[in-house]
């Protein structure tokens, strides 16, 4: 499902439903699952950026929606005894480029698709970032995705070529 405003539509809908319970300006500092002593649920300690004070919450459930590596800093059991899967996770480097075009490319017998994946290419391809405008002519933006790690290097245990590249004496 897509909308012209992207995921902003989902955020607006959820915010509209929960507006009275939403508190902005807080950052979760610690998440503590409570399964002991009959206290099911999760305690969350957050920092109020305006008042620079700690605020506590108790909830039945919490969704931790942050980069994977932050879990071992924020989720108490992960910090004290990290599960095996936390060390197995790997990030990959990607090049993402926005190409601003004055006009659409010429049709080659089939219409331009929203998601365009080249056959037998390491690239993920590109998406037509302006597809939700409903126009099939005029200026557009292609967002191109290319992995900077390849499967062969991963099998050999080497880093991504981007991470191993040098610029002068400086390592990336």
């Amino acid at each position: 499902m897509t909308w012209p405003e992207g995921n902003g539509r989902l955020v607006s809908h959820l915010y509209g439903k929960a507006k009275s319970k939403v508190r902005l300006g807080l950052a979760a500092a610690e998440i503590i699952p409570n399964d002991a002593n009959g206290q099911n649920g999760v305690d969350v300690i957050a920092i109020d950026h305006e008042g620079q004070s700690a605020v506590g919450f108790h909830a039945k459930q919490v969704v931790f929606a942050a980069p994977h590596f932050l879990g071992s800093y924020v989720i108490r059991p992960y910090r004290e005894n990290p599960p095996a899967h936390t060390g197995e996770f790997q990030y990959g480097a990607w090049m993402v480029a926005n190409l601003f075009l004055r006009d659409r490319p010429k049709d080659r017998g089939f219409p331009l698709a929203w998601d365009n994946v080249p056959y037998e290419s390491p690239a993920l391809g590109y998406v037509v970032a302006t597809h939700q405008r409903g126009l099939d002519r005029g200026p557009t933006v292609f967002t191109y995705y290319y992995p900077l790690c390849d499967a062969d290097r991963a099998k050999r245990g080497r880093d991504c070529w981007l991470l191993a590249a040098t610029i002068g004496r400086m390592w990336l």
Side-chain angles (χ1 to χ4, degrees):
M1 296 188 297
T2 62
W3 297 277
E5 62 269 43
N7 287 343
R9 180 177 180 124
L10 293 173
V11 172
S12 295
H13 174 76
L14 293 172
Y15 179 71
K17 295 288 185 184
K19 192 180 336 186
S20 65
K21 297 179 182 180
V22 172
R23 296 229 359 229
L24 302 174
L26 299 174
E30 187 160 25
I31 299 171
I32 310 158
N34 284 317
D35 292 331
N37 302 327
Q39 277 192 344
N40 292 328
V42 182
D43 290 329
V44 178
I45 300 171
I47 305 298
D48 179 343
H49 291 290
E50 286 188 23
Q52 294 293 312
S53 59
V55 179
F57 298 96
H58 182 78
K60 289 181 185 176
Q61 296 177 331
V62 168
V63 174
F64 180 70
H68 188 273
F69 73 91
L70 291 177
S72 61
Y73 294 100
V74 178
I75 303 171
R76 181 180 283 177
Y78 282 28
R79 186 173 56 245
E80 295 171 356
N81 188 19
H85 69 81
T86 60
E88 296 169 3
F89 187 83
Q90 294 181 11
Y91 284 93
W94 287 81
M95 177 193 71
V96 180
N98 285 315
L99 309 171
F100 294 81
L101 307 176
R102 284 184 279 240
D103 205 351
R104 312 290 167 111
K106 290 185 180 181
D107 192 320
R108 293 191 175 175
F110 51 90
L112 188 63
W114 167 64
D115 190 4
N116 302 274
V117 181
Y119 182 70
E120 292 186 353
S121 168
L124 184 58
Y126 63 93
V127 296
V128 180
T130 56
H131 78 281
Q132 294 176 334
R133 292 186 184 164
L135 301 174
D136 60 355
R137 59 183 167 67
T140 191
V141 177
F142 286 1
T143 302
Y144 180 74
Y145 301 90
Y146 190 88
L148 298 178
C149 296
D150 61 36
D152 291 338
R153 286 182 184 263
K155 287 179 193 171
R156 292 191 302 259
R158 294 186 185 164
D159 292 334
C160 299
W161 64 266
L162 173 70
L163 300 176
T166 62
I167 298 177
R169 295 178 184 254
M170 184 177 199
W171 285 88
L172 291 176

